[in-house]
């Protein structure tokens, strides 16, 4: 606990879900660099332990849980509190994105998308709430939704429905907590350079015979800036929302998407 860096988030205990790789790992790096004490939550002990050791500062911890499993989430939050004290912030980043046309979307796939992306966010918010209310105006929830929570995309109805749900949860909870000193916001990345995008590119290549470069260019073409978002750009937005300067921002969806949604 004592080895965290001094910075705008010094002495804040923040839990990041799905922290082992991709956007979650970038968020962890950024929040640790700003002085936060982190609890990384995920499903793989080896990658969580490695990331924990590589973070700026020291005294960070990790806990294991599938965010869709109520009992595992309760246990993980209890462990986080026991090791590092009450939480000041929660970043709901864990997510999965499976694609299928609706007529081939099985009930299992539908339930899986809702369970991980939406129910997981609900369970973690509920578990963190007593701590965040006690954080004397510094309580923060940031939900990593998606531009798929702000607009539709073909072939990802289940994922998009779940992410629209995350946006609805964010707005309603923000109102519920508006006078409590806890802010609740969503960050909505466009296509971002992580394993999720690499898997989507591989899918397009397999189904269409396009080259990986052509497939990636198509994803970038949906972004007015013609860019693939970098995980660090999402992490910067999260770090800003975590800070004291963002105290008047709540119930918002910040689209980190080069102008794709406005
Ligand atoms: P990623 O590289 O696939 O990482 C996803 C992370 O979530 C992994 O650490 C994974 O853990 C964890 N996770 C998945 N299911 C989980 C579960 N049931 N319980 C706990 N952890 C779980 O994906 P990413 O691109 O960084 O995505 C992070 C978030 O950004 C997601 O919510 C995603 O929907 C959102 N997003 C991504 C993009 C994009 O283009 N990449 C765009 C918009 C929004 P394991 O290592 O154990 O699998």
């Amino acid at each position: 606990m004592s080895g965290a860096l001094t910075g705008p988030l010094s002495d804040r205990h923040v839990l990041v879900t799905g922290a082992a790789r991709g956007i979650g790992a970038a968020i962890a790096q950024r929040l640790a660099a700003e002085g936060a004490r982190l609890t990384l939550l995920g499903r793989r002990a080896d990658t969580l332990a490695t990331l924990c050791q590589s973070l700026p500062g020291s005294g960070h911890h990790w806990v294991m849980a599938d965010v869709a499993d109520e009992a595992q989430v309760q246990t993980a939050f209890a462990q986080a509190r026991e090791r590092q004290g009450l939480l000041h912030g929660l970043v709901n980043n864990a997510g999965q994105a499976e694609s299928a046309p609706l007529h081939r979307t099985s009930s299992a796939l539908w339930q899986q998308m809702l369970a991980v992306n939406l129910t997981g966010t609900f369970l973690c918010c509920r578990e963190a709430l007593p701590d965040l209310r006690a954080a004397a105006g510094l309580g923060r929830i940031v939900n990593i939704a998606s531009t798929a929570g702000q607009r539709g995309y073909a072939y990802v109805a289940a994922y998009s429905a779940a992410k629209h749900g995350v946006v609805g949860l964010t707005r309603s909870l923000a109102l519920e907590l508006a006078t409590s000193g806890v802010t609740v916001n969503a960050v909505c990345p466009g296509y971002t350079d992580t394993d999720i995008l690499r898997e989507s590119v591989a899918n397009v290549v397999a189904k269409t015979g396009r080259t990986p470069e052509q497939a990636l260019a198509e994803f970038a073409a949906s972004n007015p800036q013609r860019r693939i978002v970098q995980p660090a750009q999402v992490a910067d937005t999260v770090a800003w929302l975590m800070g004291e300067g963002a105290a008047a921002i709540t119930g918002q969806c910040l689209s980190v998407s080069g102008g794709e949604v406005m």
Side-chain angles (χ1 to χ4, degrees):
M1 199 188 277
S2 57
L5 300 179
T6 301
L9 299 180
S10 285
D11 296 326
R12 310 265 194 98
H13 176 198
V14 181
L15 186 148
V16 182
T17 72
R21 57 195 168 96
I23 293 171
I27 292 169
Q29 292 286 353
R30 180 60 204 267
L31 297 182
E34 299 222 345
R37 288 182 276 125
L38 296 183
T39 296
L40 312 177
L41 182 149
R43 298 181 300 180
R44 292 194 224 167
D46 51 349
T47 45
L48 289 168
T50 305
L51 176 63
C52 226
Q53 282 172 353
S54 78
L55 291 175
S58 59
H60 308 294
H61 289 277
W62 53 272
V63 292
M64 300 268 288
D66 177 334
V67 291
D69 184 308
E70 189 167 4
Q72 287 185 28
V73 168
Q74 283 169 346
T75 302
F77 274 72
Q79 290 169 339
R81 231 172 257 127
E82 207 172 284
R83 291 173 191 167
Q84 306 237 60
L86 297 185
L87 286 165
H88 301 89
L90 167 67
V91 183
N92 283 304
N93 164 79
Q96 293 173 19
E98 295 289 331
S99 62
L102 194 81
H103 67 281
R104 288 208 202 113
T105 297
S106 64
S107 295
L109 174 61
W110 176 265
Q111 295 298 348
Q112 169 80 357
M113 289 301 97
L114 290 179
V116 175
N117 294 295
L118 180 54
T119 306
T121 300
F122 152 67
L123 290 173
C124 292
C125 286
R126 194 178 62 181
E127 220 42 52
L129 268 190
D131 293 19
L132 302 182
R133 281 182 190 276
L138 297 176
R140 297 280 186 273
I141 295 176
V142 180
N143 296 324
I144 307 302
S146 168
T147 46
Q150 299 182 292
R151 50 156 290 197
Y153 292 86
Y155 309 122
V156 286
Y159 176 71
S160 183
K163 291 297 191 181
H164 273 75
V166 171
V167 169
L169 185 162
T170 301
R171 290 178 173 145
S172 295
L173 187 57
L175 283 177
E176 197 170 315
L177 298 177
T179 57
S180 73
V182 181
T183 69
V184 188
N185 291 289
V187 171
C188 296
Y191 292 118
T192 306
D193 187 12
T194 70
D195 290 344
I196 280 189
L197 181 63
R198 284 183 274 277
E199 282 156 23
S200 302
V201 166
N203 259 340
V204 171
V205 169
K207 284 184 184 145
T208 66
R210 296 190 183 101
T211 66
E213 293 71 24
Q214 287 169 331
L216 194 61
E218 270 176 38
F219 284 110
S222 68
N223 180 311
Q225 293 181 329
R226 303 287 183 263
R227 70 160 82 234
I228 297 294
V229 175
Q230 294 305 307
Q233 293 167 328
V234 181
D236 280 356
T237 310
V238 173
W240 174 67
L241 286 169
M242 279 286 156
E244 284 191 62
I249 315 286
T250 197
Q252 303 304 305
C253 294
L254 287 167
S255 200
V256 184
S257 63
E260 184 184 343
V261 177
M262 58 175 69

